[in-house]
Amino acid sequence: MAGITAYGAYIPFNRLDRRRLTEAFGEPAPPGEKAVANYDEDSVTMAVEAARDCLNGLSPAALSGVYFATTTPPYREKQSATTVAAALDAPENVRTADFTSTLRAGSTALLAAADAVRADGGSVLVAVADCRPAAAKGHFEQLFGDAAAAFVVGTENVLAEIEGWCSVAGDVLTQWREAEDRYVRTWEERFITSRGYAPLVTRALASLAAKLQLTPADIKKIALYAPSPRYHTGMALALGFRQDQIQDGLFDRVGLAGAAHAPLLLAAALEEAEPGDRILMVTFGEGAEAILFRATEKIKDFSPRRGVSGHLASKKNTMNYLTYLRWKNMLDFEPPRRPDPDRPSVPAMWRNARRNLAFYGSRCNRCGTPQIPAQRVCVHCQARDEMAPYRFADLSARIATYTIDHLTFSHDPPVVFAVVDFEGGGRLLCEMTDCDPGRVEIGMEVEMTFRRLYRAGGIHNYYWKARPRR
Amino acid sequence: MSIKDKVAIIGMGCTSFGEHWDKSASDLLVEAAYEALEDAGLEPRDIQAYWLGTCASGWAGISLSEPLKIQYRPVTRVENFCATGTDAFRNACYAVAAGAYDIAMAIGVEKLKDSGYSGLVITPPPGDGTAPNYSAPAAFSLLAPAYFKKYGLDPETGKLVLARIAYKNHKNGALNPKAQFRQEVPLEKILNSPIVAAPLGIMDCSGVADGAAAAIIVRSEDAKKFKKDPVYVKAISVVCGPGHGALHQDFDFTSIRETYYAGLDAYRQAGITNPRKEISMAEVHDCFTPTELVIYEDLGFSERGKAWQDVLNGVFDLDGELPVNPDGGLKSFGHPIGASGLRMLYEMYLQLRGLAGPRQIDNPKLGLTHNLGGFPWEAVCSVCIVGKETG
């Protein structure tokens, strides 16, 4: 029996109140707010955060695969699943794959993971994240939000069994982005829904219903992708579902999260599922995919670290529209009179990958002092080469002292740098993110989060920062 | 082992510090070197070896030999962050003390204003790009909240203490024709200057300037042949730390250990047991106001946790019990890195010989200079002690 054995989610801390869009353009915007990836977040970092939420203490050593699904990978050529796997400290002999270029990427990755574990056993982590680019003042800018969801697919300790699935391919241009396009393009909505979305989704569900001999009444919740809130409810009702069976689309709190949208709704549905509940996830993009899950008794024994509900509750929605434009790299700001960052040295990145991605330091075998970065000579007892690897990623920490730097370059000045002391020993001077500078204080509890420091020379440089505990 | 009384300074030169748009590093070196030569009554050919301190304004000894047209003599380029100038001086002293040369010159220069950047920019070697990109004031401002919290200062008092340090240094600098900034600055203006790295405002930071300074060193027994009132070297210490504070939780950011250990070593060399009483005056590395605050405690000028009270009580004012930064400090001079250590010695050289004009301290015996490079948690520190008599 293949199915989900763990799940989690990630929603960025920052939200844009859509009233800021109304103020900027003097035109009505949909209600609520949308989740906005910080300038130091991208699909990879959000996937890592969702995966950490999902693993929640489970050992990454048990993973046999790490799949990453998105329409917004950082590179056109270079896999990102390897970055996700490394940040999670997955074993070296893990199978990695990127699923991309389609809004269906998440469900396709889940089905591939299910195929893999049915064939070979093991556990495959699927992390789906998206931060789709939308041009200013447009419908997509109002609609799109950034988010991620992650699942472990396996055959043991399954908490939501895959009962059936159906894929339908349909090569219709609805929304697309060429390599050089900065923003998502679309054909007119009436065409894409009447000749794309509605018929393809209907066909997939009809086929699945026939295969499994099920009707909408047998389903507890439908986690349905839709190109907009209007079609979300309309499509579900047209398919024969009642209002109370529709998993909240989160359009007013997260926005439309691209390939991650339906997976995020699936994670939300799983958070509330009882044993025996059937949850139907439906995705769309050049075709449609439907996967039917049925919760087992084990659903009661699992909860993600924060999940959808925890992340929804942990937020800051005071950002203004100019900050939004800056984070999305849509507005040129005057550069500071400081040198541009050099492109990182690839050999140095390679040597330090275990620290930079999995966040390992070392612990002295002689005196027991943890230290990061890993040292050859112990800072405490000066023993040479008596270190064991020691991972700091999931340790809680407290601020020993801090500064609010108005001089250094940032897309979100001022920058808070903090000296953080890890529970159990070890200290790091690092940048903070997702924090309100005015509220930082000595003794504040922080946790580590995987971020993109900067891009230079076409290289995305990932590392860890501290944030106030969410 | 000690360098005490083995060597003496018989000549010094120091350019004015500031925005020398019309002068290159070479121009500044020529000016400082010839001023020192004239002061010592020597010709260029008399100098047998040179140590050039520069952090980033030139590479190799050629940066000095070419502008001075040195005729095939040894020139060593020294770099040790903000201790660069003092380390050049240390090496020249050691070479003369060892008898390798009879007359040597230590000279330091920095030309910072050509970069066009705000603040200091030092290009690191290629790396993985994960080092946090804090500015220099941010790095040193980490001391402030930690100190305030440990010793129970509310933010207003803490800010006032820091401002009082800047106020004192500008007041002294106003009396110095070679300083970059020659005006007193009202306390209110310092307190309300724009925030750079909270709680530090722009007036808590030293400036960015160009400048050069030079010293000529001979063995003590030869000194009076050149100068009736030479200045004798009592101690030189340079200390580099292990980066402990960035890795280990027992470092609390209210002290800089490198300063403490360099001070300890220098006092041992000079035979000083009570620095607050025995040191007549000091030039310390006031790159940022909280740095000067913790230096007082690390050098034993104040008891732990009491420096802030000594600041408010005027202990370190020009007319106080132990004047610190009588020339105006980095605050008034800016910080041309390679030159700063020698600029501090230049003030001691003037004060000990009674030539400091309106800044003159009454009959000083021993002067201390201090430089600190790097960061509070990972630093290089130099401490020199000089005096007007042997013994």
Side-chain angles (χ1 to χ4, degrees):
Chain A
M1 173 172 77
I4 291 170
T5 61
Y7 64 93
Y10 179 75
I11 301 165
F13 181 63
N14 292 284
R15 319 287 158 84
L16 178 70
D17 188 324
R18 289 192 173 103
R19 283 177 295 190
R20 302 291 91 79
L21 298 172
T22 305
E23 288 160 10
F25 299 114
E27 292 169 10
E33 56 200 27
K34 61 179 218 159
V36 180
N38 206 327
Y39 73 91
D40 58 5
E41 296 186 287
D42 66 5
S43 55
V44 170
T45 67
M46 292 196 297
V48 170
E49 290 298 308
R52 294 175 71 207
D53 190 59
C54 165
L55 289 173
N56 190 17
L58 300 175
S59 170
L63 296 176
S64 54
V66 172
Y67 296 173
F68 170 57
T70 185
T71 68
T72 48
Y75 293 101
R76 282 176 66 189
E77 178 172 335
K78 186 208 165 290
Q79 198 182 74
S80 292
T82 44
T83 308
V84 176
L88 296 175
D89 195 29
E92 206 174 55
N93 59 344
V94 75
R95 180 182 292 177
T96 55
D98 285 359
F99 293 77
T100 185
S101 298
T102 175
L103 290 169
R104 262 198 293 154
S107 55
T108 307
L110 274 171
L111 290 174
D115 290 345
V117 300
R118 269 191 220 102
D120 301 321
S123 294
V124 177
L125 181 128
V126 177
V128 196
D130 235 345
C131 43
R132 295 166 77 206
K137 198 173 174 287
H139 172 60
F140 287 158
E141 181 177 68
Q142 296 177 342
L143 187 59
F144 289 175
D146 307 324
F151 309 88
V152 177
V153 178
T155 53
E156 286 166 32
N157 292 318
V158 168
L159 53 83
E161 176 195 357
I162 297 176
E163 280 198 321
W165 66 93
C166 179
S167 297
V168 171
D171 190 38
V172 54
L173 276 160
T174 55
Q175 293 172 358
W176 66 96
R177 202 156 32 95
E178 215 191 355
E180 275 70 39
D181 283 340
R182 284 190 67 185
Y183 306 110
V184 175
R185 296 172 183 266
T186 184
W187 204 259
E188 71 175 277
E189 192 174 73
R190 290 187 55 77
F191 169 76
I192 71 171
T193 50
S194 71
R195 292 298 179 269
Y197 178 67
L200 287 163
V201 164
T202 306
R203 211 171 301 157
L205 287 201
S207 162
L208 183 62
K211 195 153 77 178
L212 298 180
Q213 295 292 306
L214 288 173
T215 68
D218 298 313
I219 308 295
K220 178 76 175 179
K221 290 279 184 189
I222 176 167
L224 174 65
Y225 174 86
S228 73
R230 183 173 147 209
Y231 292 102
H232 184 243
T233 312
M235 187 75 238
L237 296 176
L239 288 165
F241 293 93
R242 298 184 312 274
Q243 187 73 44
D244 67 322
Q245 290 173 288
I246 307 171
Q247 182 66 37
D248 185 338
L250 301 176
F251 291 100
D252 60 345
R253 281 172 286 171
V254 176
L256 183 64
H261 197 76
L264 184 73
L265 304 188
L266 170 63
L270 288 170
E271 280 173 32
E272 294 175 352
E274 300 288 338
D277 285 355
R278 285 195 172 94
I279 300 165
L280 180 63
M281 181 177 81
V282 183
T283 63
F284 167 75
E286 298 78 54
E289 250 151 18
I291 311 177
L292 183 67
F293 298 93
R294 184 166 194 181
T296 71
E297 284 295 323
K298 294 250 188 293
I299 193 92
K300 294 187 289 191
D301 303 335
F302 182 86
S303 61
R305 192 177 304 199
R306 293 200 176 89
V308 178
S309 54
H311 280 106
L312 279 174
S314 163
K315 66 172 184 177
K316 180 175 151 191
N317 66 354
T318 53
M319 73 187 302
N320 63 40
Y321 184 60
L322 283 177
T323 300
Y324 173 85
L325 291 178
R326 186 171 196 171
W327 288 4
K328 295 291 181 192
N329 212 11
M330 291 164 69
L331 192 58
D332 291 334
F333 278 72
E334 183 179 301
R337 286 192 300 111
R338 300 288 291 178
D340 290 332
D342 285 334
R343 127 186 122 158
S345 157
V346 169
M349 290 172 78
W350 171 78
R351 275 197 303 278
N352 299 332
R354 248 193 137 197
R355 166 175 60 115
N356 296 353
L357 302 177
F359 209 48
Y360 271 94
S362 63
R363 185 170 175 277
C364 180
N365 290 332
R366 194 174 287 181
C367 72
T369 305
Q371 35 215 299
I372 184 163
Q375 302 292 311
R376 293 283 301 275
V377 178
C378 175
V379 70
H380 185 78
C381 72
Q382 285 90 56
R384 183 181 68 116
D385 289 335
E386 297 209 37
M387 292 286 175
Y390 184 81
R391 191 161 184 241
F392 286 81
D394 294 323
L395 300 180
S396 174
R398 287 189 187 279
I399 293 180
T401 186
Y402 67 96
T403 179
I404 304 167
D405 194 344
H406 293 255
L407 192 59
T408 195
F409 174 73
S410 169
H411 286 287
D412 190 26
V415 181
V416 179
F417 292 99
V419 176
V420 303
D421 287 349
F422 292 95
E423 203 175 303
R427 160 178 284 188
L428 185 71
L429 170 55
C430 65
E431 193 171 333
M432 289 196 60
T433 190
D434 290 351
C435 73
D436 182 348
R439 294 196 172 180
V440 176
E441 56 182 15
I442 291 173
M444 179 187 239
E445 190 179 0
V446 298
E447 58 191 8
M448 301 309 293
T449 174
F450 188 70
R451 299 290 166 133
R452 188 182 65 186
L453 292 185
Y454 63 91
R455 279 165 57 200
I459 295 170
H460 298 250
N461 201 15
Y462 296 98
Y463 191 50
W464 296 75
K465 295 184 183 180
R467 70 170 173 225
R469 187 173 171 77
R470 277 186 78 171
Chain B
M1 289 300 292
S2 168
I3 190 75
K4 184 182 178 185
D5 291 336
K6 292 195 169 74
V7 296
I9 304 169
I10 55 152
M12 286 200 80
C14 184
T15 68
S16 66
F17 280 31
E19 293 174 336
H20 286 297
W21 303 118
D22 53 347
K23 285 175 187 155
S24 65
S26 296
D27 292 326
L28 295 165
L29 285 169
V30 170
E31 286 186 22
Y34 275 84
E35 190 184 328
L37 287 166
E38 283 157 24
D39 182 45
L42 296 175
E43 297 292 324
R45 64 171 176 274
D46 297 325
I47 307 296
Q48 296 158 353
Y50 300 80
W51 276 262
L52 165 68
T54 185
C55 199
S57 302
W59 317 119
I62 299 162
S63 303
L64 181 70
S65 65
E66 189 274 331
L68 292 189
K69 298 295 174 289
I70 291 169
Q71 297 297 306
Y72 312 100
R73 296 269 168 96
V75 184
T76 303
R77 183 238 173 174
V78 177
E79 183 284 305
N80 215 349
F81 271 177
C82 304
T84 294
T86 301
D87 213 353
F89 177 73
R90 182 176 72 113
N91 281 280
C93 289
Y94 289 176
V96 170
Y101 307 104
D102 297 320
I103 308 177
M105 177 183 282
I107 185 165
V109 68
E110 218 69 60
K111 177 71 196 165
L112 296 176
K113 293 300 298 186
D114 277 2
S115 82
Y117 295 127
S118 41
L120 282 182
V121 172
I122 294 174
T123 308
D128 68 11
T130 60
N133 187 30
Y134 42 74
S135 65
F140 281 90
S141 76
L142 290 167
L143 297 165
Y147 187 95
F148 297 169
K149 177 137 181 141
K150 182 170 180 180
Y151 298 118
L153 278 70
D154 59 65
E156 291 70 34
T157 308
K159 183 91 177 151
L160 177 67
V161 169
L162 300 181
R164 185 63 177 72
I165 292 169
Y167 169 81
K168 164 187 69 84
N169 290 347
H170 277 302
K171 191 172 176 187
N172 296 348
L175 303 174
N176 196 327
K178 293 200 171 186
Q180 178 178 25
F181 302 111
R182 274 165 265 167
Q183 278 190 330
E184 287 193 36
V185 182
L187 210 50
E188 278 302 304
K189 188 174 172 187
I190 298 169
L191 283 168
N192 296 311
S193 67
I195 293 294
V196 170
L200 306 190
I202 187 82
M203 291 305 293
D204 287 290
C205 307
S206 60
V208 177
D210 308 323
I216 297 171
I217 298 123
V218 299
R219 275 182 298 283
S220 291
E221 61 263 33
D222 300 334
K224 296 240 164 151
K225 288 187 237 166
F226 299 95
K227 197 102 190 156
K228 67 174 174 24
D229 53 354
V231 164
Y232 297 95
V233 173
K234 302 291 179 182
I236 316 175
S237 180
V238 170
V239 158
C240 286
H244 182 97
L247 294 169
H248 204 301
Q249 296 188 4
D250 72 2
F251 179 77
D252 71 1
F253 280 85
T254 65
S255 156
I256 297 174
R257 290 183 179 187
E258 288 81 353
T259 295
Y260 173 74
Y261 284 109
L264 217 57
D265 183 33
Y267 296 147
R268 179 195 58 76
Q269 291 177 34
I272 287 170
T273 53
N274 185 342
R276 169 104 166 213
K277 292 279 174 264
E278 294 173 66
I279 299 288
S280 316
M281 58 190 173
E283 285 285 328
V284 304
H285 202 83
D286 58 322
C287 52
F288 305 98
T289 50
T291 324
E292 182 162 332
L293 179 65
V294 304
I295 286 167
Y296 295 142
E297 298 183 8
D298 287 328
L299 288 180
F301 295 175
S302 296
E303 286 175 44
R304 290 277 171 213
K306 297 283 169 52
W308 66 277
Q309 291 168 2
D310 288 343
V311 168
L312 295 179
N313 292 332
V315 169
F316 307 113
D317 292 359
L318 195 54
D319 58 358
E321 183 188 335
L322 171 46
V324 173
N325 291 332
D327 74 353
L330 273 66
K331 196 76 194 73
S332 304
F333 270 80
H335 180 29
I337 306 166
S340 286
L342 286 152
R343 182 267 301 163
M344 293 175 169
L345 280 169
Y346 180 71
E347 177 70 2
M348 298 293 99
Y349 179 74
L350 295 179
Q351 290 279 2
L352 288 168
R353 295 161 59 242
L355 299 173
R359 308 185 308 282
Q360 185 61 47
I361 292 161
D362 184 32
N363 195 26
K365 299 281 196 298
L366 287 177
L368 178 149
T369 68
H370 162 274
N371 296 104
L372 184 73
F375 307 103
W377 58 90
E378 181 179 86
V380 46
C381 180
S382 62
V383 171
C384 276
I385 300 172
V386 289
K388 70 178 189 183
E389 285 154 14
T390 53

